[in-house]
Amino acid sequence: MQHKIAHLNFILICLLLLGFTIDLCSGPTWYSPLTLLHPHTGLEQQIILQVRLPRALASVLIGSLLAVAGQLLQTISRNPIADPAILGVNSGANLALIIGTVVGIPFTIAARFGLALLGALIAFCIVLGLSVTRSGMQPLRLILGGTIFSGFLVSVAYAVSLLTQSTAKYRTLLVGGFSGVTYQAVTLLAITFFILVIGLFCLRQELTLLALNDQLAQGLGTKRNWTRLWAACLIVLAAGASVAVAGNIAFVGLGIPQCIALLSGHNFKHTVGQVLLAGGAFLSFGDALAKSAHPPFELPLGALTAILGGLFLFIFLWRNQEEALN
Amino acid sequence: MTNLKRKHRFGAWFAGLLVLFVLLSFFQMTHGSIHLSLHNVLTTLVGQGDAQSQLILLQFRLPQIMLSVICGGCLALSGAILQLVTENPLADTSVMGINAGASLGAVIFLALSHYINLTQTIGLPLFAVLGSLLGAAIVFIQRRLQQPLQLLLIGIASGTLLNGIILLIELQLNQFDFDKLIIWISGDFWNQDWSYIFVLTCAILVILPFMVRQLWGSDLLTLGQQSASSLGLAVRNKRRNLLLLAVLLAGIAVAGGGAISFVGLMAPHIAHSLVGHKSRYYLPLTVLIGIDLVLFAAIVAEVAFAPSQLPVGLVVAVITMPYFVILLLHQTN
């Protein structure tokens, strides 16, 4: 088992490096990897350093953040198809950002981050509050309600930005994507990432137990509810930071942890690192595709991931259905 | 409730909703970016108004009312039938990805309109209907009746998928034109052309007789498959036909007003709570409520934020989506 995990880790690191390099190389004009090391002209150097490098870094960081947020949410809600995007956390952050900037809060990265966090927090609380009924929390109901609530928030966001005629300005926020990422944003993401990793390190034992079995975790004396609360804070932080930089990107938090669980089981302690790596690799490939599929236009990354997410959810339900029948 | 009492109740609500419709229509005709007096509207309607009010009424406001009737009525009826057929009180064309399928059909037609030798008036509804069939096929491809919530989740999965594709295609057509995008994601009356409305109306009129025929005796379906079959109902056939008709109606509605969400969920629910579960009573009310709802949203979209306007579908979404969430989360089993 140890051997297998090391194997998978190695493959994922290679994929991440490959994705990162391809993301750096791709764009309206394709640079060969050699150009990255020895840029021929000053312009090339500037493009690589000022445009492509922050963007590639941001896609790796956001991929990791979203994937881990998804895994955390799936662990604490004990629900294999939970995802911050599905539960409206991302769209809450998105809406708060748009409303905030419409009211006149400056569009700086710090303000954006604050707004996104606030929005994510409120949306998360509302969805959880709505889903707790007398009969307890039903996973399917939570997902369904969350998705529709998320659609509601997106509708309001569209309405606000249409009314203020700012759809073009908020295009990235509305459809998701990495265009115009700066080093400030990358710094912010890096700090968030750092906090997240520390948090995960502190909570790793409790979360591993929680992922195994609720009753067992209770019996062994872990403070389940505190663990859940801290994990929820980390989720909001990760989702908020991602939305503040790159808008609404779905699927990563849903699909990546599931794929990793398929490959190497459900031990949180062992898989969380792989989820981080895989999320980063996935989004850097996604960003490279969005940039280079139809130059000079950019495909909306949110749509690409939504298509993948829809497909994934579909396959997941399909498989479960068959299991239930057999 | 005795039969007679129920009948009276139905009559009262029917009349009330009809009056509401007339009131909303007049409000819609008088208000807007240019105010017309009631007198002005009435004289124009009998054909003696001045040129300006004639233009406003005939080219802008009456088509909107017609489209509200088409979209609201079709979506509400379609939702009611879906709920009946799937025995799932939360079924609706938008949550099951049928609207998204129809939108995708429409968007594909618009993207390929240079290569297809069809006018928009005919081609777009045709593609929308084909798309809605596709959307329904994805959800119902497994023959057995799924668990209610699972069915809805599959619908959401396919809706997400289809909406992603719509977003991709539409943003390739117009990079920054979100108004166009929103038509196909949440709905708006985008084509207020009389010939287009005429085509849609004809399509509905063709479907309607089949609909009424299939709905006759459909109350037996609510008894469950076994009792209904034992009473001599060809359950399977009836289900299939009704489903097909519901999907066709949804396709037409989307061709008229884009993917307007959850009218088909909200209207039947309100109708049920007003007159109970007898289809003879609640289906007409469902249609009326759907129409009133969409017309109301159209008025809000036009008047509330004047001079800027909102897409109708966004207003409907803001009204209906919270309703769905609350219904879902607090529905007792």
Side-chain angles (χ1 to χ4, degrees), chain A residues 209-243:
Chain A
L209 285 176
L210 204 61
L212 282 175
N213 190 325
D214 215 10
Q215 265 124 31
L216 185 66
Q218 193 176 18
L220 289 173
T222 42
K223 297 175 191 125
R224 286 173 311 149
N225 287 338
W226 279 107
T227 313
R228 288 215 165 101
L229 188 68
W230 282 115
C233 292
L234 291 179
I235 293 167
V236 168
L237 187 70
S242 316
V243 175

mmCIF file of all heavy atoms in Angstrom, chain A residues 209-243:
data_model
loop_
_atom_site.group_PDB
_atom_site.id
_atom_site.type_symbol
_atom_site.label_atom_id
_atom_site.label_comp_id
_atom_site.label_asym_id
_atom_site.label_seq_id
_atom_site.Cartn_x
_atom_site.Cartn_y
_atom_site.Cartn_z
ATOM 1 N N LEU A 209 -10.454 10.028 11.030
ATOM 2 C CA LEU A 209 -11.443 9.244 11.780
ATOM 3 C C LEU A 209 -12.856 9.559 11.316
ATOM 4 O O LEU A 209 -13.688 8.676 11.145
ATOM 5 C CB LEU A 209 -11.315 9.543 13.277
ATOM 6 C CG LEU A 209 -10.116 8.894 13.952
ATOM 7 C CD1 LEU A 209 -10.036 9.329 15.390
ATOM 8 C CD2 LEU A 209 -10.237 7.388 13.848
ATOM 9 N N LEU A 210 -13.089 10.841 11.089
ATOM 10 C CA LEU A 210 -14.419 11.269 10.665
ATOM 11 C C LEU A 210 -14.782 10.621 9.333
ATOM 12 O O LEU A 210 -15.928 10.217 9.105
ATOM 13 C CB LEU A 210 -14.430 12.791 10.531
ATOM 14 C CG LEU A 210 -15.761 13.499 10.653
ATOM 15 C CD1 LEU A 210 -16.351 13.228 12.015
ATOM 16 C CD2 LEU A 210 -15.556 14.985 10.458
ATOM 17 N N ALA A 211 -13.774 10.531 8.458
ATOM 18 C CA ALA A 211 -14.028 9.937 7.150
ATOM 19 C C ALA A 211 -14.324 8.453 7.283
ATOM 20 O O ALA A 211 -15.066 7.886 6.496
ATOM 21 C CB ALA A 211 -12.826 10.148 6.237
ATOM 22 N N LEU A 212 -13.730 7.832 8.288
ATOM 23 C CA LEU A 212 -13.952 6.396 8.454
ATOM 24 C C LEU A 212 -15.360 6.107 8.927
ATOM 25 O O LEU A 212 -16.120 5.408 8.295
ATOM 26 C CB LEU A 212 -12.958 5.833 9.481
ATOM 27 C CG LEU A 212 -11.561 5.600 8.963
ATOM 28 C CD1 LEU A 212 -10.677 5.157 10.097
ATOM 29 C CD2 LEU A 212 -11.592 4.571 7.859
ATOM 30 N N ASN A 213 -15.693 6.704 10.055
ATOM 31 C CA ASN A 213 -16.972 6.341 10.634
ATOM 32 C C ASN A 213 -17.320 7.339 11.714
ATOM 33 O O ASN A 213 -16.539 7.615 12.607
ATOM 34 C CB ASN A 213 -16.862 4.940 11.227
ATOM 35 C CG ASN A 213 -18.206 4.407 11.639
ATOM 36 O OD1 ASN A 213 -19.060 5.168 12.090
ATOM 37 N ND2 ASN A 213 -18.389 3.132 11.478
ATOM 38 N N ASP A 214 -18.514 7.841 11.628
ATOM 39 C CA ASP A 214 -18.954 8.857 12.565
ATOM 40 C C ASP A 214 -18.973 8.323 13.993
ATOM 41 O O ASP A 214 -18.438 8.926 14.915
ATOM 42 C CB ASP A 214 -20.349 9.323 12.163
ATOM 43 C CG ASP A 214 -20.524 10.798 12.442
ATOM 44 O OD1 ASP A 214 -19.512 11.447 12.748
ATOM 45 O OD2 ASP A 214 -21.644 11.287 12.342
ATOM 46 N N GLN A 215 -19.601 7.131 14.153
ATOM 47 C CA GLN A 215 -19.742 6.581 15.495
ATOM 48 C C GLN A 215 -18.388 6.237 16.108
ATOM 49 O O GLN A 215 -18.127 6.506 17.274
ATOM 50 C CB GLN A 215 -20.615 5.341 15.473
ATOM 51 C CG GLN A 215 -22.060 5.651 15.781
ATOM 52 C CD GLN A 215 -22.973 5.177 14.684
ATOM 53 O OE1 GLN A 215 -22.671 4.187 14.027
ATOM 54 N NE2 GLN A 215 -24.050 5.887 14.453
ATOM 55 N N LEU A 216 -17.544 5.664 15.261
ATOM 56 C CA LEU A 216 -16.212 5.303 15.736
ATOM 57 C C LEU A 216 -15.491 6.546 16.227
ATOM 58 O O LEU A 216 -14.890 6.563 17.300
ATOM 59 C CB LEU A 216 -15.433 4.643 14.604
ATOM 60 C CG LEU A 216 -14.067 4.111 14.994
ATOM 61 C CD1 LEU A 216 -14.224 2.962 15.964
ATOM 62 C CD2 LEU A 216 -13.322 3.651 13.750
ATOM 63 N N ALA A 217 -15.581 7.618 15.431
ATOM 64 C CA ALA A 217 -14.905 8.851 15.798
ATOM 65 C C ALA A 217 -15.422 9.361 17.130
ATOM 66 O O ALA A 217 -14.661 9.808 17.989
ATOM 67 C CB ALA A 217 -15.112 9.904 14.712
ATOM 68 N N GLN A 218 -16.729 9.230 17.319
ATOM 69 C CA GLN A 218 -17.322 9.682 18.577
ATOM 70 C C GLN A 218 -16.807 8.823 19.726
ATOM 71 O O GLN A 218 -16.426 9.324 20.773
ATOM 72 C CB GLN A 218 -18.833 9.559 18.476
ATOM 73 C CG GLN A 218 -19.547 10.289 19.575
ATOM 74 C CD GLN A 218 -21.056 10.208 19.381
ATOM 75 O OE1 GLN A 218 -21.540 9.352 18.650
ATOM 76 N NE2 GLN A 218 -21.766 11.082 20.019
ATOM 77 N N GLY A 219 -16.764 7.512 19.477
ATOM 78 C CA GLY A 219 -16.323 6.595 20.511
ATOM 79 C C GLY A 219 -14.887 6.852 20.919
ATOM 80 O O GLY A 219 -14.531 6.753 22.090
ATOM 81 N N LEU A 220 -14.075 7.202 19.935
ATOM 82 C CA LEU A 220 -12.671 7.435 20.242
ATOM 83 C C LEU A 220 -12.443 8.810 20.859
ATOM 84 O O LEU A 220 -11.328 9.194 21.146
ATOM 85 C CB LEU A 220 -11.822 7.289 18.987
ATOM 86 C CG LEU A 220 -11.686 5.849 18.500
ATOM 87 C CD1 LEU A 220 -10.980 5.801 17.181
ATOM 88 C CD2 LEU A 220 -10.934 5.033 19.534
ATOM 89 N N GLY A 221 -13.512 9.553 20.994
ATOM 90 C CA GLY A 221 -13.414 10.777 21.754
ATOM 91 C C GLY A 221 -12.963 11.999 20.967
ATOM 92 O O GLY A 221 -12.547 12.982 21.546
ATOM 93 N N THR A 222 -13.031 11.952 19.642
ATOM 94 C CA THR A 222 -12.685 13.180 18.930
ATOM 95 C C THR A 222 -13.846 14.144 19.053
ATOM 96 O O THR A 222 -15.003 13.750 19.101
ATOM 97 C CB THR A 222 -12.435 12.916 17.446
ATOM 98 O OG1 THR A 222 -13.418 12.023 16.998
ATOM 99 C CG2 THR A 222 -11.056 12.374 17.218
ATOM 100 N N LYS A 223 -13.496 15.402 19.091
ATOM 101 C CA LYS A 223 -14.559 16.391 19.183
ATOM 102 C C LYS A 223 -15.056 16.636 17.766
ATOM 103 O O LYS A 223 -14.544 17.485 17.053
ATOM 104 C CB LYS A 223 -14.009 17.674 19.784
ATOM 105 C CG LYS A 223 -13.505 17.470 21.188
ATOM 106 C CD LYS A 223 -12.854 18.748 21.680
ATOM 107 C CE LYS A 223 -12.114 18.518 22.962
ATOM 108 N NZ LYS A 223 -10.719 18.932 22.886
ATOM 109 N N ARG A 224 -16.086 15.855 17.397
ATOM 110 C CA ARG A 224 -16.509 15.891 15.999
ATOM 111 C C ARG A 224 -16.975 17.266 15.570
ATOM 112 O O ARG A 224 -16.643 17.750 14.512
ATOM 113 C CB ARG A 224 -17.643 14.903 15.786
ATOM 114 C CG ARG A 224 -17.206 13.484 15.768
ATOM 115 C CD ARG A 224 -18.415 12.632 15.725
ATOM 116 N NE ARG A 224 -19.365 13.057 16.755
ATOM 117 C CZ ARG A 224 -20.674 12.959 16.653
ATOM 118 N NH1 ARG A 224 -21.188 12.470 15.561
ATOM 119 N NH2 ARG A 224 -21.453 13.352 17.615
ATOM 120 N N ASN A 225 -17.773 17.876 16.433
ATOM 121 C CA ASN A 225 -18.370 19.121 15.971
ATOM 122 C C ASN A 225 -17.350 20.231 15.818
ATOM 123 O O ASN A 225 -17.440 21.048 14.909
ATOM 124 C CB ASN A 225 -19.493 19.532 16.912
ATOM 125 C CG ASN A 225 -20.685 18.625 16.717
ATOM 126 O OD1 ASN A 225 -20.814 17.997 15.654
ATOM 127 N ND2 ASN A 225 -21.525 18.505 17.730
ATOM 128 N N TRP A 226 -16.345 20.228 16.716
ATOM 129 C CA TRP A 226 -15.289 21.232 16.558
ATOM 130 C C TRP A 226 -14.520 20.984 15.270
ATOM 131 O O TRP A 226 -14.212 21.913 14.527
ATOM 132 C CB TRP A 226 -14.341 21.207 17.752
ATOM 133 C CG TRP A 226 -14.913 21.966 18.895
ATOM 134 C CD1 TRP A 226 -15.429 21.466 20.032
ATOM 135 C CD2 TRP A 226 -15.072 23.389 18.973
ATOM 136 N NE1 TRP A 226 -15.906 22.468 20.830
ATOM 137 C CE2 TRP A 226 -15.695 23.665 20.203
ATOM 138 C CE3 TRP A 226 -14.749 24.455 18.116
ATOM 139 C CZ2 TRP A 226 -16.005 24.959 20.614
ATOM 140 C CZ3 TRP A 226 -15.050 25.745 18.518
ATOM 141 C CH2 TRP A 226 -15.666 25.981 19.752
ATOM 142 N N THR A 227 -14.227 19.706 15.009
ATOM 143 C CA THR A 227 -13.522 19.385 13.772
ATOM 144 C C THR A 227 -14.315 19.880 12.574
ATOM 145 O O THR A 227 -13.780 20.506 11.658
ATOM 146 C CB THR A 227 -13.354 17.863 13.650
ATOM 147 O OG1 THR A 227 -12.895 17.367 14.886
ATOM 148 C CG2 THR A 227 -12.411 17.507 12.547
ATOM 149 N N ARG A 228 -15.618 19.598 12.617
ATOM 150 C CA ARG A 228 -16.474 20.023 11.508
ATOM 151 C C ARG A 228 -16.424 21.531 11.334
ATOM 152 O O ARG A 228 -16.307 22.041 10.223
ATOM 153 C CB ARG A 228 -17.918 19.596 11.774
ATOM 154 C CG ARG A 228 -18.138 18.116 11.632
ATOM 155 C CD ARG A 228 -19.511 17.855 11.052
ATOM 156 N NE ARG A 228 -19.588 16.483 10.592
ATOM 157 C CZ ARG A 228 -20.181 15.506 11.263
ATOM 158 N NH1 ARG A 228 -20.766 15.765 12.409
ATOM 159 N NH2 ARG A 228 -20.209 14.301 10.767
ATOM 160 N N LEU A 229 -16.503 22.236 12.460
ATOM 161 C CA LEU A 229 -16.529 23.697 12.392
ATOM 162 C C LEU A 229 -15.232 24.232 11.784
ATOM 163 O O LEU A 229 -15.244 25.078 10.877
ATOM 164 C CB LEU A 229 -16.731 24.260 13.795
ATOM 165 C CG LEU A 229 -16.967 25.758 13.830
ATOM 166 C CD1 LEU A 229 -18.304 26.074 13.199
ATOM 167 C CD2 LEU A 229 -16.918 26.280 15.250
ATOM 168 N N TRP A 230 -14.097 23.697 12.284
ATOM 169 C CA TRP A 230 -12.821 24.171 11.742
ATOM 170 C C TRP A 230 -12.713 23.848 10.263
ATOM 171 O O TRP A 230 -12.267 24.679 9.460
ATOM 172 C CB TRP A 230 -11.646 23.545 12.499
ATOM 173 C CG TRP A 230 -11.401 24.196 13.825
ATOM 174 C CD1 TRP A 230 -11.534 23.629 15.047
ATOM 175 C CD2 TRP A 230 -10.995 25.551 14.043
ATOM 176 N NE1 TRP A 230 -11.249 24.542 16.024
ATOM 177 C CE2 TRP A 230 -10.911 25.734 15.447
ATOM 178 C CE3 TRP A 230 -10.710 26.630 13.206
ATOM 179 C CZ2 TRP A 230 -10.545 26.938 16.015
ATOM 180 C CZ3 TRP A 230 -10.337 27.838 13.779
ATOM 181 C CH2 TRP A 230 -10.267 27.985 15.161
ATOM 182 N N ALA A 231 -13.129 22.645 9.903
ATOM 183 C CA ALA A 231 -13.064 22.269 8.490
ATOM 184 C C ALA A 231 -13.940 23.188 7.658
ATOM 185 O O ALA A 231 -13.554 23.617 6.565
ATOM 186 C CB ALA A 231 -13.496 20.820 8.319
ATOM 187 N N ALA A 232 -15.131 23.541 8.200
ATOM 188 C CA ALA A 232 -16.023 24.445 7.463
ATOM 189 C C ALA A 232 -15.347 25.793 7.255
ATOM 190 O O ALA A 232 -15.448 26.395 6.171
ATOM 191 C CB ALA A 232 -17.332 24.603 8.219
ATOM 192 N N CYS A 233 -14.626 26.273 8.266
ATOM 193 C CA CYS A 233 -13.903 27.544 8.115
ATOM 194 C C CYS A 233 -12.885 27.443 6.991
ATOM 195 O O CYS A 233 -12.755 28.353 6.156
ATOM 196 C CB CYS A 233 -13.190 27.921 9.407
ATOM 197 S SG CYS A 233 -14.307 28.352 10.730
ATOM 198 N N LEU A 234 -12.167 26.320 6.963
ATOM 199 C CA LEU A 234 -11.168 26.150 5.906
ATOM 200 C C LEU A 234 -11.835 26.132 4.531
ATOM 201 O O LEU A 234 -11.320 26.710 3.570
ATOM 202 C CB LEU A 234 -10.393 24.848 6.124
ATOM 203 C CG LEU A 234 -9.455 24.821 7.327
ATOM 204 C CD1 LEU A 234 -8.771 23.473 7.425
ATOM 205 C CD2 LEU A 234 -8.415 25.926 7.213
ATOM 206 N N ILE A 235 -12.996 25.473 4.436
ATOM 207 C CA ILE A 235 -13.703 25.404 3.156
ATOM 208 C C ILE A 235 -14.068 26.805 2.679
ATOM 209 O O ILE A 235 -13.827 27.178 1.529
ATOM 210 C CB ILE A 235 -14.981 24.558 3.288
ATOM 211 C CG1 ILE A 235 -14.629 23.103 3.544
ATOM 212 C CG2 ILE A 235 -15.834 24.675 2.044
ATOM 213 C CD1 ILE A 235 -15.801 22.276 3.992
ATOM 214 N N VAL A 236 -14.654 27.589 3.613
ATOM 215 C CA VAL A 236 -15.071 28.939 3.235
ATOM 216 C C VAL A 236 -13.864 29.756 2.792
ATOM 217 O O VAL A 236 -13.901 30.477 1.786
ATOM 218 C CB VAL A 236 -15.801 29.613 4.417
ATOM 219 C CG1 VAL A 236 -15.972 31.092 4.172
ATOM 220 C CG2 VAL A 236 -17.148 28.962 4.629
ATOM 221 N N LEU A 237 -12.767 29.608 3.530
ATOM 222 C CA LEU A 237 -11.550 30.347 3.187
ATOM 223 C C LEU A 237 -11.069 29.979 1.778
ATOM 224 O O LEU A 237 -10.813 30.857 0.939
ATOM 225 C CB LEU A 237 -10.468 30.008 4.215
ATOM 226 C CG LEU A 237 -9.177 30.790 4.132
ATOM 227 C CD1 LEU A 237 -9.426 32.222 4.570
ATOM 228 C CD2 LEU A 237 -8.109 30.160 4.998
ATOM 229 N N ALA A 238 -10.986 28.675 1.528
ATOM 230 C CA ALA A 238 -10.470 28.232 0.233
ATOM 231 C C ALA A 238 -11.390 28.664 -0.901
ATOM 232 O O ALA A 238 -10.942 29.212 -1.916
ATOM 233 C CB ALA A 238 -10.320 26.709 0.234
ATOM 234 N N ALA A 239 -12.708 28.459 -0.710
ATOM 235 C CA ALA A 239 -13.646 28.819 -1.774
ATOM 236 C C ALA A 239 -13.641 30.325 -2.001
ATOM 237 O O ALA A 239 -13.616 30.793 -3.144
ATOM 238 C CB ALA A 239 -15.044 28.330 -1.429
ATOM 239 N N GLY A 240 -13.629 31.097 -0.904
ATOM 240 C CA GLY A 240 -13.632 32.545 -1.044
ATOM 241 C C GLY A 240 -12.426 33.044 -1.809
ATOM 242 O O GLY A 240 -12.553 33.841 -2.741
ATOM 243 N N ALA A 241 -11.244 32.564 -1.434
ATOM 244 C CA ALA A 241 -10.035 33.022 -2.115
ATOM 245 C C ALA A 241 -10.077 32.660 -3.597
ATOM 246 O O ALA A 241 -9.739 33.475 -4.462
ATOM 247 C CB ALA A 241 -8.806 32.397 -1.456
ATOM 248 N N SER A 242 -10.542 31.450 -3.913
ATOM 249 C CA SER A 242 -10.573 31.043 -5.313
ATOM 250 C C SER A 242 -11.511 31.921 -6.119
ATOM 251 O O SER A 242 -11.175 32.365 -7.220
ATOM 252 C CB SER A 242 -11.047 29.593 -5.443
ATOM 253 O OG SER A 242 -10.436 28.796 -4.499
ATOM 254 N N VAL A 243 -12.712 32.170 -5.565
ATOM 255 C CA VAL A 243 -13.673 32.975 -6.313
ATOM 256 C C VAL A 243 -13.170 34.399 -6.466
ATOM 257 O O VAL A 243 -13.337 35.017 -7.523
ATOM 258 C CB VAL A 243 -15.054 32.938 -5.640
ATOM 259 C CG1 VAL A 243 -16.015 33.877 -6.336
ATOM 260 C CG2 VAL A 243 -15.602 31.534 -5.663
#
